[in-house]
Amino acid sequence: MRKTKKPLLVMVSLLLVMVTVLAGCGSKKEAAPPATPPATTNEGNKETDPPAEGDGGKWVLGEKPLEFSAYAHYGNTDFPKWESTPIGKYLSEEKQVKLNMIAAAGAHTQKLSAMMASDDLPDMIWADREDQDMERLRKEGKLVAYDEYLDKYPNLKTWMGDLDLLRAEDGKLYRFPNWYSSNPYGNAGYVINKKIYEELGKPPLETTDDLYNYLVKVKEKYGSEIVPFEPHRAQDRQGLGVLYTAFGEGASYTNLNANLLAVPKDGKLTSLLMDPVFREAQKYIAKLYREKLISQDAFNQTEDQVLEKVMTGRVAVFAGASPTDMAGEAQPELIKKDPDGGYFMIWPIHKPGLDKNKIYPGTYTSFGWNAAYITTAAEDPEAIFAFLDWYTGPEGMNVQFFGPEGKNWKGFDEQGQPNFTETYNPEEVAKIQSENSPVMFVGNTSYIDPSKYKYMKDLPFEEQDWRTRYQQTITWPTQLNVTEFSGIEPSPDSDEGIIKTSVNELFLEIYAKSVMAKSDEEVDKILDQGNKDLMDLGYQQLLDYRTANWQENLAKRK
């Protein structure tokens, strides 16, 4: 849910191998997502041969110069100078590829509006996958459709698979997705303070009853020194949304997302506030809150305040859309001070009587986060698409993550993954990935994650990257695919778009009040009145609109 465009990012550990950095999930549409990938895995069900050099009129990387302009349409996000990145320097010097980066310096709305008004567009724009400005450009005939290139340059088609839900209403494909995957990925779940857990006797932590009893013990023993349950930023639904999923088999974190705010039932999207699972979860959460088992400033704390608590080990249980980001950063610092300290992750909490294997604290989509668009301003759009296809393929991904072939990797194994060399340097690889991260604009999660894990899996357990270890064993197996709910949003200037803005603002107010309710009866009263108030704003019209688009998505997938 925390998609704050944030996409779930993969970083590299300076000591070992790649570490995933997110940015990412969750609902999170206010900030630009980091360009690194939300980690995922692939079981080798894709063809992984390196892309063949072109023939029959195909554009071939390095055969002739390619120069084009690129613009990142995100608030506070600009591409760095191309040659300042390892991949940019290599491709510029060795493959004759040069990107001219256009900066907006924070004035992205004004910058794109000016370029559109003057019809002086960049050759490539990197933006949110559902960005309405991109839809405006498409309707004005300013975007290039990719359909005629898909078979000629097949990496996207090979690794992404089903592209139908990415198509525009005219049936054509204009978006080249970033960090797409055909397999589960994501980092939502529960992180546990190891030292506190052991000091309390390692009690069971499987059910919602177990969790409540544990949090009570934490408060009794540590008082205000430790926050029993840290839900990250509650205004983004974060850790409280994770708790919601514990009360229903198949309950989706995305149900609380501002871009859905509904529960699917009998082929329709229905009111979240009237959902029995949501109401039961809110009563449980309200109980934790009024007993001061949840951070009392959950709705107004900053990222830095949360990070400080996690870094210093002042939380017993930390839940969120991507708690691995902060916990992974804190882990090496805490064990430096105390080898028996640090954090670990647990299998998702579930209500007693439910199947623990049908509880999904997080969600993912096959499309990742953002997308690259080629505009009609490009002199040779096929060359740009061919470059993107190389960039997202095995060779391109390996060069971005491990550097040019020869030093850290050489050739491919029978699964199409890189052969790592004896001269593989983890610190160098970490630096390469970190510096390339801002220009990883068509990342292929399906391919690169197994490649990264190939190196790490042979390390002793204690040397494995903390994030990657728990992604492999806990988070990836427990994320729910919600691709079917992609692209169901109204345009901002439509009736439904205007309703959405009002509904989202009021919902957060209702949500916070229900969390702070003094009793179960008050929770029901707040949600009953809240549902009525939302309906008065047009909530049902918004639900009907999203239902129609959701059903269209389902029809496309049949």
Side-chain angles (χ1 to χ4, degrees):
M1 175 162 104
R2 194 166 181 249
K3 183 195 171 239
T4 319
K5 273 176 231 152
K6 285 174 172 205
L8 294 357
L9 298 185
V10 181
M11 225 180 163
V12 190
S13 167
L14 290 176
L15 298 176
L16 309 169
V17 65
M18 304 258 170
V19 169
T20 54
V21 174
L22 239 197
C25 201
S27 150
K28 318 128 174 191
K29 269 203 158 178
E30 293 77 20
T36 37
T40 180
T41 187
N42 182 46
E43 295 300 326
N45 60 337
K46 297 286 185 183
E47 294 184 15
T48 54
D49 293 333
E53 290 299 321
D55 56 56
K58 289 178 64 174
W59 184 87
V60 180
L61 184 74
E63 200 169 74
K64 59 182 179 180
L66 172 64
E67 182 172 351
F68 63 93
S69 57
Y71 169 66
H73 185 49
Y74 279 117
N76 302 315
T77 297
D78 284 322
F79 286 137
K81 290 183 178 180
W82 182 235
E83 291 81 2
S84 71
T85 65
I87 185 67
K89 186 174 186 295
Y90 166 75
L91 289 178
S92 179
E93 294 177 353
E94 303 296 331
K95 300 295 185 180
Q96 306 183 76
V97 177
K98 179 177 176 58
L99 273 64
N100 299 313
M101 304 306 199
I102 297 174
H108 289 72
T109 299
Q110 300 92 318
K111 182 70 174 180
L112 184 60
S113 295
M115 290 190 289
M116 292 170 67
S118 63
D119 199 22
D120 185 21
L121 293 170
D123 300 322
M124 187 193 82
I125 301 175
W126 187 72
D128 185 82
R129 198 181 63 245
E130 308 296 338
D131 193 288
Q132 291 302 311
D133 285 328
M134 298 300 101
E135 179 62 7
R136 285 172 55 202
L137 287 175
R138 182 194 69 79
K139 289 181 177 179
E140 293 173 8
K142 299 297 184 181
L143 296 182
V144 174
Y146 298 152
D147 301 75
E148 64 178 294
Y149 308 137
L150 293 175
D151 291 327
K152 196 173 184 180
Y153 307 98
N155 274 317
L156 176 60
K157 187 175 180 180
T158 297
W159 290 97
M160 176 71 226
D162 185 6
L163 296 168
D164 284 345
L165 293 189
L166 279 174
R167 296 185 183 280
E169 61 183 19
D170 63 6
K172 297 180 180 179
L173 182 69
Y174 298 88
R175 296 173 284 189
F176 200 125
N178 190 32
W179 301 125
Y180 55 90
S181 174
S182 56
N183 297 280
Y185 63 81
N187 301 307
Y190 301 83
V191 168
I192 310 299
N193 186 310
K194 183 172 179 284
K195 189 174 184 63
I196 292 173
Y197 181 70
E198 291 180 348
E199 288 178 351
L200 290 176
K202 300 182 180 181
L205 270 180
E206 298 180 2
T207 70
T208 49
D209 291 345
D210 292 339
L211 178 62
Y212 173 76
N213 293 332
Y214 182 70
L215 299 180
V216 169
K217 289 180 180 179
V218 170
K219 184 184 176 187
E220 289 175 347
K221 181 173 178 62
Y222 301 98
S224 60
E225 179 186 349
I226 299 293
V227 177
F229 186 88
E230 176 53 62
H232 203 163
R233 287 167 54 81
Q235 61 266 53
D236 294 332
R237 276 67 109 185
Q238 283 291 311
L240 301 186
V242 169
L243 275 179
Y244 156 71
T245 66
F247 287 85
E249 294 178 3
S252 169
Y253 188 35
T254 295
N255 292 352
L256 277 65
N257 192 319
N259 293 328
L260 185 61
L261 215 59
V263 176
K265 184 179 181 181
D266 299 328
K268 295 182 179 181
L269 294 178
T270 62
S271 171
L272 175 66
L273 274 65
M274 301 306 290
D275 175 46
V277 173
F278 177 73
R279 289 192 167 219
E280 184 177 12
Q282 288 305 97
K283 291 173 184 177
Y284 179 87
I285 291 169
K287 179 181 180 181
L288 298 186
Y289 189 85
R290 62 178 172 263
E291 293 185 15
K292 294 183 170 53
L293 303 178
I294 288 179
S295 176
Q296 298 295 286
D297 58 353
F299 281 92
N300 54 33
Q301 61 189 351
T302 66
E303 289 281 311
D304 287 343
Q305 288 172 324
V306 177
L307 178 61
E308 189 276 334
K309 286 185 279 187
V310 176
M311 291 294 294
T312 55
R314 294 194 297 109
V315 298
V317 180
F318 176 40
S322 187
T324 52
D325 290 345
M326 291 184 180
E329 184 177 348
Q331 177 70 15
E333 299 302 318
L334 291 175
I335 61 176
K336 280 181 187 176
K337 300 174 183 176
D338 182 355
D340 295 324
Y343 294 105
F344 66 95
M345 295 196 76
I346 59 171
W347 197 257
I349 296 291
H350 64 281
K351 175 187 169 182
L354 298 184
D355 185 343
K356 70 175 185 178
N357 294 313
K358 294 180 180 179
I359 303 299
Y360 304 96
T363 60
Y364 72 98
T365 72
S366 299
F367 307 142
W369 307 112
N370 25 61
Y373 305 78
I374 299 174
T375 76
T376 54
E379 288 187 12
D380 191 348
E382 179 177 342
I384 297 176
F385 184 88
F387 164 72
L388 294 177
D389 193 68
W390 178 88
Y391 210 54
T392 203
E395 184 179 0
M397 291 306 300
N398 284 321
V399 175
Q400 290 176 71
F401 270 82
F402 309 118
E405 184 176 10
K407 171 67 185 303
N408 296 305
W409 68 283
K410 187 173 180 60
F412 298 84
D413 63 19
E414 60 277 9
Q415 279 78 44
Q417 294 175 353
N419 292 315
F420 295 111
T421 65
E422 293 183 356
T423 56
Y424 183 98
N425 185 324
E427 292 187 8
E428 178 183 75
V429 166
K431 187 171 186 292
I432 290 170
Q433 192 273 339
S434 179
E435 293 179 356
N436 282 336
S437 171
V439 293
M440 291 179 176
F441 34 72
V442 287
N444 179 347
T445 307
S446 287
Y447 174 78
I448 199 61
D449 277 358
S451 297
K452 292 189 281 107
Y453 187 63
K454 175 186 175 182
Y455 176 78
M456 196 198 80
K457 67 182 177 60
D458 293 327
L459 295 173
F461 182 80
E462 63 275 9
E463 293 181 19
Q464 293 181 8
D465 172 62
W466 187 92
R467 295 174 179 88
T468 305
R469 180 194 312 161
Y470 287 113
Q471 285 164 345
Q472 292 284 334
T473 58
I474 300 290
T475 67
W476 293 346
T478 59
Q479 310 296 292
L480 183 67
N481 188 341
V482 293
T483 303
E484 64 193 66
F485 298 110
S486 300
I488 65 173
E489 283 302 272
S491 60
D493 56 354
S494 67
D495 290 345
E496 290 82 9
I498 295 170
I499 290 171
K500 172 190 169 181
T501 299
S502 300
V503 165
N504 287 346
E505 291 175 355
L506 180 56
F507 174 78
L508 181 56
E509 180 181 331
I510 297 166
Y511 186 71
K513 284 182 179 179
S514 68
V515 169
M516 299 174 190
K518 304 302 182 185
S519 66
D520 288 354
E521 293 74 20
E522 187 177 350
V523 170
D524 283 328
K525 182 178 179 180
I526 290 170
L527 296 182
D528 285 342
Q529 183 62 47
N531 188 69
K532 180 180 182 302
D533 293 341
L534 289 178
M535 289 300 178
D536 289 343
L537 290 177
Y539 182 36
Q540 188 59 55
Q541 182 178 340
L542 181 61
L543 289 172
D544 292 343
Y545 178 91
R546 286 172 169 163
T547 294
N549 287 308
W550 170 45
Q551 288 300 322
E552 287 183 13
N553 282 351
L554 294 178
K556 290 178 183 177
R557 302 182 81 184
K558 290 181 180 178

